[in-house]
Amino acid sequence: MSTKYSSMELQPSRIYMDCPQIFAADVTSRECSKSRLVNSVVHAACIIMKGRGRQLWMLMCVICVVLCFSAYSNSVVWRSMGASRLSSNEELSVAGARKLLEEEEWGTEKLHPPGTEKRLPHSIIFGVRKCGTRAMLEFLGLHPQIRPADHEVHYFDDDMNYDLGIDWYRNQMPYSFPDQVTIEKSPRYFITEKVPERISNMNNSIKLIVLLRNPTVRVISDYTQVYYNKKAKGKVHDKLENLAIEPSTGEVNTRYKAVRISIYHQHFERWLKVFRPDQFHIVDGDNLIVRPWEEISLVEEFLGLPHKITREHFYYNSTRGFYCMKLGHEKCLGATKGRRHPFTDPVAVEKLRTFFKPHNQLLFQMINRTFNWK
C-alpha cells in the first residue's frame, strides 16, 4: 500500500489491487451513471480511503446513491419536458387515447362475427333535416335485421368524398350478415341536386326513406339548432322573425335557407324524376315524436322485414319531453335533441303557415298523401 503513482490513470489495475474493496463500488457506479464525473470521484476516493479507512468508504457509497438518484430524476424531467412540447392536437387524454386505440388506423380492425362484411346500403334515409332522421335511425337500430351506419357519411353530396370512390363509401358501412339491411342517413341529400342521379348510378332499385313534418315547425326547429350552437360559442344570433320575414315587405324571406328547405315539393320533384314512386317511403315526422312505434312498423313493412319493434321498446321521458328506448337500460337521444324553441313572434309564425299552405298542397298531390299540417 506504499506504492505511489504519478498519475491515477497510468496504473488503474494497481489501484484495484491496492483497494480491492473499491472494485464493487466502481462497477456499481458505472452502472448507475456513465459520466466521467462519477468515475473520477470513485477513483479519487480509492486513493483517499487508503489512508482514511471505512468512514470515507461509507461516505462514497452515499455519494454514489445520490448521483444515481439525481440521474434518474433528470431523465424523468427531460421526458416530461419532451411531452410538454406536444402541440394541442397531439396531446392525448386517457379518453382520447382510448378512442384512438379503438379506431382502425391505430390498431387492429375491430372484431366482427364470421360471415359478416361491409355492404353498400340497401336503403338510405335522405332527409329532411330537423324532421327526426337521427331518431329514426336510432329506433331502426333496435331491429335485429337492420344495421345502421353510425355517422352521416355525406358521400353523394360531398364532391371530395364522392371522388374517393365506391369502395371508400362501402368501407363507411357497418359489418352485416347477408340477411341484414344496411342503412345510412344524410339529410343534406334531400336538397342537393346531383344526389338522386348519383344514388341511381350506384343502385337504381334502392329503397329510399324521407321524413317530413309540418314545414313551419321545421323552420323553427332549424333555427333553434343554429341559435343554440351560436349561443354556446358566445355569439349573438338574430331573431327568427328577422330572418324568416323580409323587413321591407313583411313577406316570407325565401332566401332564408330554413325556409327554402321546407318547400318540400321543389326538392322532391327531382327525386321523382329519377326513382319510381314505390321506391319511396315517407315518414310522418310529427307522428314519430308522439307514436314512434307506429312509424317504425310502417318502415319495417317497406323494408320487407318482420315486425320486431313494438310499443314495449319505448318509454316516455317526461324530463326530455319525448320517447326514449329500452335496451335493457334506458337510452335517449343526445342532449341537443328536443331543445326548447326560443320565443317567436306569433305574427311571423302565422305568416309562415300561410306561405307554406299552397306549397304543401303541391306536395300532397305529388306524393298522393295528405298530412294534417295546420
Side-chain angles (χ1 to χ4, degrees):
M1 299 296 289
S2 61
T3 305
K4 297 182 180 180
Y5 305 107
S6 59
S7 173
M8 189 170 63
E9 294 182 358
L10 294 177
Q11 301 288 340
S13 60
R14 293 297 304 273
I15 294 175
Y16 286 128
M17 292 174 62
D18 290 342
C19 302
Q21 66 271 32
I22 296 305
F23 180 74
D26 188 61
V27 172
T28 302
S29 63
R30 286 176 183 274
E31 293 178 356
C32 293
S33 173
K34 300 298 184 181
S35 70
R36 303 188 112 201
L37 175 63
V38 174
N39 291 334
S40 299
V41 170
V42 172
H43 290 168
C46 174
I47 303 302
I48 296 172
M49 284 190 293
K50 287 163 52 176
R52 298 191 179 184
R54 188 176 185 83
Q55 290 182 346
L56 289 179
W57 160 249
M58 295 179 64
L59 176 62
M60 197 56 233
C61 291
V62 172
I63 293 174
C64 183
V65 171
V66 171
L67 289 173
C68 290
F69 180 80
S70 177
Y72 173 78
S73 299
N74 287 339
S75 67
V76 172
V77 170
W78 281 108
R79 283 198 299 268
S80 300
M81 290 176 66
S84 68
R85 294 191 185 100
L86 289 173
S87 67
S88 59
N89 291 331
E90 294 172 321
E91 291 177 350
L92 300 178
S93 63
V94 174
R98 185 183 299 114
K99 181 179 180 181
L100 288 173
L101 291 173
E102 290 174 352
E103 293 177 357
E104 293 181 357
E105 63 268 28
W106 284 87
T108 57
E109 194 172 72
K110 294 178 182 179
L111 297 177
H112 54 88
T116 62
E117 62 181 60
K118 294 187 175 184
R119 296 175 169 82
L120 291 173
H122 305 82
S123 179
I124 294 177
I125 299 175
F126 66 95
V128 175
R129 169 182 160 92
K130 306 311 299 178
C131 289
T133 57
R134 170 52 58 181
M136 172 57 70
L137 196 71
E138 293 282 349
F139 294 161
L140 289 177
L142 295 171
H143 199 292
Q145 289 180 253
I146 294 178
R147 295 289 288 121
D150 60 5
H151 64 286
E152 294 181 6
V153 181
H154 290 287
Y155 175 64
F156 297 104
D157 66 302
D158 187 308
D159 290 341
M160 291 183 63
N161 287 343
Y162 193 70
D163 289 342
L164 294 174
I166 198 68
D167 289 335
W168 177 88
Y169 181 53
R170 181 187 291 107
N171 198 47
Q172 308 309 305
M173 299 300 118
Y175 284 95
S176 63
F177 288 102
D179 64 340
Q180 290 181 314
V181 175
T182 299
I183 298 180
E184 78 116 327
K185 74 103 177 174
S186 294
R188 199 183 300 164
Y189 290 169
F190 181 71
I191 62 172
T192 308
E193 293 186 9
K194 63 187 76 173
V195 168
E197 191 68 35
R198 286 179 171 181
I199 293 179
S200 178
N201 290 338
M202 178 194 70
N203 181 1
N204 60 11
S205 62
I206 195 168
K207 294 187 175 183
L208 300 164
I209 300 171
V210 59
L211 289 83
L212 303 175
R213 67 185 302 191
N214 186 318
T216 300
V217 176
R218 201 217 69 81
V219 169
I220 299 174
S221 182
D222 195 315
Y223 168 83
T224 298
Q225 177 170 307
V226 177
Y227 169 82
Y228 279 107
N229 288 343
K230 289 196 173 184
K231 185 177 180 180
K233 298 176 182 179
K235 297 181 179 180
V236 178
H237 192 44
D238 206 349
K239 294 181 178 180
L240 174 59
E241 47 267 34
N242 296 335
L243 298 171
I245 307 299
E246 191 69 51
S248 59
T249 64
E251 301 296 326
V252 172
N253 179 15
T254 56
R255 296 190 306 275
Y256 181 40
K257 187 176 180 180
V259 170
R260 294 202 312 272
I261 293 175
S262 292
I263 306 176
Y264 300 138
H265 70 93
Q266 292 182 351
H267 307 289
F268 208 81
E269 185 177 11
R270 290 195 303 271
W271 290 84
L272 286 173
K273 290 179 180 178
V274 179
F275 297 101
R276 303 185 314 272
D278 64 340
Q279 289 181 252
F280 297 95
H281 175 72
I282 299 175
V283 176
D284 184 345
D286 297 305
N287 192 49
L288 181 67
I289 296 174
V290 295
R291 286 180 290 276
W293 52 90
E294 293 182 357
E295 296 301 320
I296 296 299
S297 178
L298 294 174
V299 174
E300 289 173 326
E301 291 181 11
F302 175 66
L303 297 176
L305 298 175
H307 293 295
K308 295 291 185 179
I309 305 173
T310 66
R311 171 70 178 83
E312 284 67 36
H313 286 93
F314 301 91
Y315 76 96
Y316 185 76
N317 187 311
S318 57
T319 302
R320 302 295 299 278
F322 53 78
Y323 281 91
C324 299
M325 297 171 284
K326 295 179 182 178
L327 300 171
H329 61 281
E330 299 177 353
K331 179 183 178 181
C332 285
L333 300 177
T336 61
K337 305 299 180 181
R339 288 180 292 197
R340 188 172 183 177
H341 292 174
F343 173 80
T344 303
D345 186 351
V347 175
V349 173
E350 188 58 36
K351 285 186 177 181
L352 286 169
R353 289 172 177 166
T354 303
F355 170 81
F356 283 122
K357 188 173 182 178
H359 292 293
N360 294 341
Q361 292 301 319
L362 290 173
L363 173 73
F364 298 158
Q365 295 172 14
M366 184 178 293
I367 64 176
N368 195 28
R369 184 176 175 183
T370 301
F371 293 99
N372 187 27
W373 292 339
K374 295 181 180 179

